[in-house]
Amino acid sequence: MRANNRGQSTDRITIIDIGKEAGVSYATVSRVINNKGNVNPDARERVLRAMTQLGYVANTQARSLAGGRSYVVGLLVQDLGTGYTGEIIRGMDDELAKAQYNLMLFTTHRRKVKESLFVQTLTQGTADGLLLILPRNAEAYLETLRRRKFPYVLVDHQGIDELGPSVGASNWQGGYDATSYLIGLGHKRIGFITGTPELGCAVRRLDGYKAALHDHGLPLDPNLIREGDFYQPTGYKGGVDLLNLPDRPTAIFASNDMMAFGVMEAVREQGLSIPKDMSIIGFDDIPMAANVHPRLTTVRQPLEQMGRVATTMLLDLINNPDQQPEKIELPTRLIVGETCCAPAQARK
Amino acid sequence: MRANNRGQSTDRITIIDIGKEAGVSYATVSRVINNKGNVNPDARERVLRAMTQLGYVANTQARSLAGGRSYVVGLLVQDLGTGYTGEIIRGMDDELAKAQYNLMLFTTHRRKVKESLFVQTLTQGTADGLLLILPRNAEAYLETLRRRKFPYVLVDHQGIDELGPSVGASNWQGGYDATSYLIGLGHKRIGFITGTPELGCAVRRLDGYKAALHDHGLPLDPNLIREGDFYQPTGYKGGVDLLNLPDRPTAIFASNDMMAFGVMEAVREQGLSIPKDMSIIGFDDIPMAANVHPRLTTVRQPLEQMGRVATTMLLDLINNPDQQPEKIELPTRLIVGETCCAPAQARK
DNA sequence: GCGGGTTGTGAAAACGCTTGCTCGACAACT
DNA sequence: AGTTGTCGAGCAAGCGTTTTCACAACCCGC
């Protein structure tokens, strides 16, 4: 037992110790650990035994300093508030654990100024790859990442970085399906609240909505479309606006669940009942959607699976850097809750 | 420009480059960076200038390998689902950013088997300290941490680790206040749904409830207390049970917001109205509490601030390892929403 | 039974940094 | 004038790995 300069006592076991125990040089131990070079099966066996016996744990800093892997991937998110991100992270985390990787968390809200610095740090060996969930203003550093050939995968961010690998959901189809469902119930005037227009996913949901109207021979009324930003207040605001329309819609499709909650609030404030007086549909199916009353009808994104797939892609990219970047789109699915029904006039 | 063995091109600037540029040895550069030793103000100035000019970014692996800091703290959480954790993390993240620290995320749900391994990794220099949010079965590794004198701070986890430093909220007082509020409205029979009994915070909320009843001369009916686990389904279950009681309560106090949502669901299923037929109160004030309808009355925990304080404590501990561990309790506050009113008989 | 590939192994040089030790220079004491 | 103390800065030894290079031992076919 010796003390390092941080005052903590350590019994650190190094590959040198393992080498001694197994009767080989530590270089051979390194080879065993990394499955490199030709090692005599016998020696390998001895090394492995020594490792478990002595409880060896590799020092990742030394590893990465010497030019190996750091076994860390960075994760860039905006915030962790809504549970949306949490779901995705769960999938990532799980997949990373399988590969013995660790996760370094960065939130953008704190990094507005020095985004470049954070990319610097990350790419200088701190991490082997980077996952980005719904990043905004990412162009600046994406360019850097590409130039450095630093592996990264975008999650839910189609339409901006056309080059890089990404994982998303079928936003267009989801928008189409939700709208068709409402039309099928008999709705003819359907309000829509958009997400942040800079985000590809927001645009596609809107496009799906428009396409469904068109395919069913319904007119597109620009008055029924309100701009939102994926947060609750703009959902509320959009809801109020739509309700105050002289010719108000009988249903409202919000581009995500949080905004749908806002719409629900607005509807109730007017003393209207959901779904009798107003049908509401959301997008995402965050856990909370099942906990509100009535249960929100929404389009489920396979969030956890998106995290999983993105991670698998990233690890793949780390292992074979010269791969073609893929773009994967996972299917969405309509979850029928209790916030939609046929409009009043159709029920008569 | 040279290529490292990962195939990525790097123009890495080292302290040697800085030393050359500033006309000093690289040891001096190191001293400037770490504010150590005696450095001539003139030389320091030159070094600093060279650093910004060349865009120097320290290599943390090398730093920590050489015995310095890693500028990473680990964060151990159970899951990121409910937004509860997200709030705390926001505070931590912010505080860490100020100190130029980074965050390594670990979730326990994936580590059941090898908890020791993760502590091993962390304490071998990967991180300088560890934050734990509401950990379960932590005794095993807390012991290890203490033995190694590895700095850590527990968040919201009173009552298990009596020795270590921790940050929590005034759970007893919160329970007392919420109950008193209901009593003040005229409620005499108040149901209670507990949290996981192994958690100190759960026990204290219950104790606060009991004390308030006692102080107001109300009897304690064990039938009105149901066990929950902080997740929605047990809230629902407890709600159903309480509603089916021959002598049902007029108000229900759930030990956290998620369970309160479950109670709301149960109440509505019986065709009852909130708060007219049943008052409901929660605990935490997670963001979603403001988004359900009616707005949940609840006891706010200063989650973000808890994260902040815990982080400050940890950084302090890292800097002065021989400090006495503190135990801090932050105040809770009753948030009056729309889910409570006087009971029916009192309104007549 | 001798060149020419494999195969398995070790020595040693990085990787970028921290820090204990040393040493010179100069000021302030006896 | 000689001694001590202080300050500033350099040297060099690690930290625990990966990886290149060299080399020995072996097997093969001729």
Side-chain angles (χ1 to χ4, degrees):
Chain A
M1 171 106 54
R2 62 176 193 270
N4 70 8
N5 50 31
R6 243 169 297 171
Q8 292 152 22
S9 55
T10 48
D11 301 290
R12 200 192 235 88
I13 308 275
T14 73
I15 49 173
I16 300 185
D17 301 321
I18 303 293
K20 272 187 201 137
E21 180 73 20
V24 296
S25 82
Y26 62 86
T28 302
V29 177
S30 172
R31 277 189 279 261
V32 171
I33 294 172
N34 296 289
N35 274 315
K36 286 208 176 146
N38 310 320
V39 179
N40 186 314
D42 217 55
R44 152 170 276 112
E45 187 54 39
R46 286 203 313 277
V47 168
L48 255 23
R49 197 160 30 233
M51 286 192 350
T52 53
Q53 204 183 104
L54 272 57
Y56 171 75
V57 179
N59 179 319
T60 38
Q61 357 277 319
R63 236 136 97 100
S64 102
L65 182 58
R69 300 262 179 87
S70 67
Y71 288 93
V72 168
V73 315
L75 170 62
L76 192 67
V77 301
Q78 290 197 69
D79 78 308
L80 301 162
T82 57
Y84 165 88
T85 317
E87 289 293 298
I88 299 180
I89 296 179
R90 189 205 310 288
M92 292 176 166
D93 197 45
D94 227 56
E95 217 56 46
L96 287 173
K98 282 188 205 157
Q100 310 239 51
Y101 260 80
N102 286 135
L103 226 187
M104 196 110 143
L105 185 72
F106 297 87
T107 55
T108 47
H109 75 109
R110 79 181 202 188
R111 303 256 171 192
K112 278 187 197 95
V113 201
K114 300 223 159 192
E115 236 142 25
S116 55
L117 176 65
F118 120 81
V119 172
Q120 287 277 357
T121 312
L122 225 44
T123 56
Q124 296 236 349
T126 303
D128 297 337
L130 181 60
L131 291 163
L132 304 102
I133 300 182
L134 207 67
R136 313 205 181 194
N137 333 331
E139 294 77 8
Y141 49 83
L142 283 184
E143 169 53 24
T144 311
L145 292 175
R146 243 178 275 121
R147 190 155 26 80
R148 300 204 181 200
K149 296 193 165 204
F150 191 78
Y152 71 98
V153 175
L154 293 169
V155 180
D156 202 7
H157 188 259
Q158 308 123 313
I160 308 265
D161 180 46
E162 300 298 353
L163 301 161
S166 70
V167 174
S170 56
N171 289 297
W172 186 92
Q173 191 66 46
Y176 188 91
D177 292 347
T179 310
S180 300
Y181 171 70
L182 290 172
I183 296 172
L185 286 175
H187 293 277
K188 306 238 180 288
R189 287 183 61 71
I190 302 172
F192 188 91
I193 300 176
T194 74
T196 323
E198 297 88 47
L199 259 29
C201 58
V203 176
R204 293 187 197 192
R205 289 173 199 179
L206 176 58
D207 286 349
Y209 160 82
K210 288 179 179 170
L213 289 181
H214 178 263
D215 286 1
H216 291 84
L218 290 177
L220 174 67
D221 180 351
N223 255 322
L224 291 180
I225 300 179
R226 301 288 150 161
E227 187 173 321
D229 65 359
F230 285 134
Y231 288 97
Q232 218 232 4
T234 58
Y236 173 81
K237 173 92 171 41
V240 169
D241 288 356
L242 290 170
L243 287 165
N244 287 338
L245 243 38
D247 188 9
R248 81 158 54 133
T250 58
I252 297 178
F253 177 11
S255 289
N256 77 345
D257 290 348
M258 285 309 288
M259 293 197 302
F261 296 147
V263 174
M264 286 170 78
E265 178 103 27
V267 171
R268 280 175 171 132
E269 247 181 35
Q270 306 249 339
L272 301 176
S273 130
I274 302 168
K276 242 177 29 189
D277 303 318
M278 181 64 72
S279 289
I280 296 174
I281 198 162
F283 208 111
D284 281 354
D285 195 37
I286 58 177
M288 202 59 218
N291 296 337
V292 295
H293 193 87
R295 203 276 185 225
L296 186 65
T297 295
T298 187
V299 179
R300 172 175 298 166
Q301 291 203 70
L303 296 174
E304 178 170 344
Q305 206 200 336
M306 281 160 63
R308 241 175 238 293
V309 171
T311 307
T312 316
M313 275 173 65
L314 182 65
L315 293 176
D316 225 50
L317 234 39
I318 291 173
N319 292 321
N320 326 15
D322 296 320
Q323 226 165 115
Q324 270 307 306
E326 268 180 293
K327 293 200 161 296
I328 291 183
E329 192 172 284
L330 297 173
T332 52
R333 186 157 65 88
L334 183 72
I335 303 292
V336 176
E338 305 155 352
T339 54
C340 295
C341 68
Q345 66 270 32
R347 286 201 304 271
K348 281 175 208 156
Chain B
M1 170 106 58
R2 63 175 194 272
N4 70 8
N5 48 32
R6 243 170 297 171
Q8 293 153 21
S9 54
T10 47
D11 301 289
R12 198 189 236 91
I13 308 274
T14 73
I15 49 173
I16 300 186
D17 302 322
I18 304 294
K20 272 189 200 134
E21 181 75 19
V24 296
S25 82
Y26 60 87
T28 302
V29 177
S30 171
R31 278 189 276 264
V32 171
I33 293 172
N34 295 290
N35 274 316
K36 285 208 176 145
N38 311 318
V39 180
N40 183 313
D42 216 58
R44 152 170 279 113
E45 188 51 41
R46 287 204 312 278
V47 167
L48 255 23
R49 198 164 26 238
M51 285 192 348
T52 52
Q53 202 183 106
L54 272 57
Y56 172 75
V57 179
N59 178 321
T60 38
Q61 356 279 316
R63 238 138 89 105
S64 103
L65 184 57
R69 300 265 178 87
S70 67
Y71 289 93
V72 168
V73 315
L75 170 61
L76 192 67
V77 301
Q78 290 196 69
D79 79 307
L80 301 163
T82 57
Y84 165 88
T85 316
E87 288 294 298
I88 299 180
I89 296 179
R90 190 205 310 285
M92 293 177 165
D93 196 46
D94 228 56
E95 217 55 46
L96 287 173
K98 282 186 204 158
Q100 310 240 52
Y101 260 80
N102 285 134
L103 225 186
M104 195 112 143
L105 184 71
F106 296 87
T107 55
T108 47
H109 75 110
R110 79 180 201 189
R111 302 257 172 191
K112 278 186 198 96
V113 202
K114 300 224 162 192
E115 237 141 24
S116 56
L117 176 64
F118 120 80
V119 173
Q120 287 277 357
T121 313
L122 226 44
T123 55
Q124 296 234 350
T126 302
D128 297 336
L130 180 60
L131 291 164
L132 303 101
I133 300 183
L134 207 66
R136 312 204 181 197
N137 333 328
E139 294 77 6
Y141 49 83
L142 284 185
E143 167 55 24
T144 312
L145 293 175
R146 244 178 272 122
R147 189 156 25 80
R148 300 203 180 201
K149 296 192 164 203
F150 191 79
Y152 71 96
V153 175
L154 293 169
V155 180
D156 201 8
H157 188 259
Q158 308 123 314
I160 308 263
D161 181 44
E162 299 299 351
L163 302 160
S166 69
V167 174
S170 56
N171 289 296
W172 187 92
Q173 191 65 48
Y176 187 92
D177 291 348
T179 311
S180 301
Y181 171 70
L182 290 172
I183 295 172
L185 287 174
H187 294 275
K188 305 239 181 283
R189 288 183 59 71
I190 302 172
F192 188 91
I193 300 176
T194 74
T196 323
E198 297 88 50
L199 259 31
C201 59
V203 175
R204 292 184 197 198
R205 288 173 199 179
L206 176 58
D207 286 348
Y209 161 80
K210 288 178 180 170
L213 290 180
H214 178 264
D215 286 1
H216 293 84
L218 290 176
L220 175 67
D221 181 350
N223 255 323
L224 290 180
I225 301 179
R226 301 287 150 162
E227 186 173 322
D229 64 358
F230 284 136
Y231 288 98
Q232 218 232 4
T234 60
Y236 173 79
K237 174 91 172 38
V240 170
D241 288 355
L242 290 171
L243 286 165
N244 287 337
L245 243 36
D247 189 10
R248 78 160 55 134
T250 58
I252 297 177
F253 177 11
S255 288
N256 77 345
D257 290 349
M258 285 310 287
M259 294 197 301
F261 296 148
V263 174
M264 287 171 78
E265 177 104 27
V267 170
R268 279 174 172 134
E269 248 181 36
Q270 305 249 338
L272 300 177
S273 130
I274 301 168
K276 243 179 24 191
D277 303 318
M278 181 65 72
S279 289
I280 296 175
I281 197 163
F283 208 111
D284 281 354
D285 196 36
I286 57 177
M288 202 59 217
N291 296 338
V292 294
H293 194 85
R295 204 277 185 222
L296 186 65
T297 294
T298 188
V299 178
R300 174 176 297 169
Q301 292 203 71
L303 295 174
E304 179 169 344
Q305 207 201 335
M306 283 161 61
R308 241 174 239 292
V309 172
T311 307
T312 316
M313 277 175 64
L314 182 65
L315 293 175
D316 225 49
L317 234 38
I318 291 173
N319 292 321
N320 325 17
D322 296 320
Q323 224 165 119
Q324 270 307 308
E326 267 180 294
K327 292 199 162 296
I328 292 183
E329 191 173 285
L330 298 173
T332 53
R333 185 157 65 88
L334 184 71
I335 303 294
V336 175
E338 305 155 350
T339 56
C340 294
C341 69
Q345 68 268 34
R347 286 200 302 272
K348 281 176 208 153

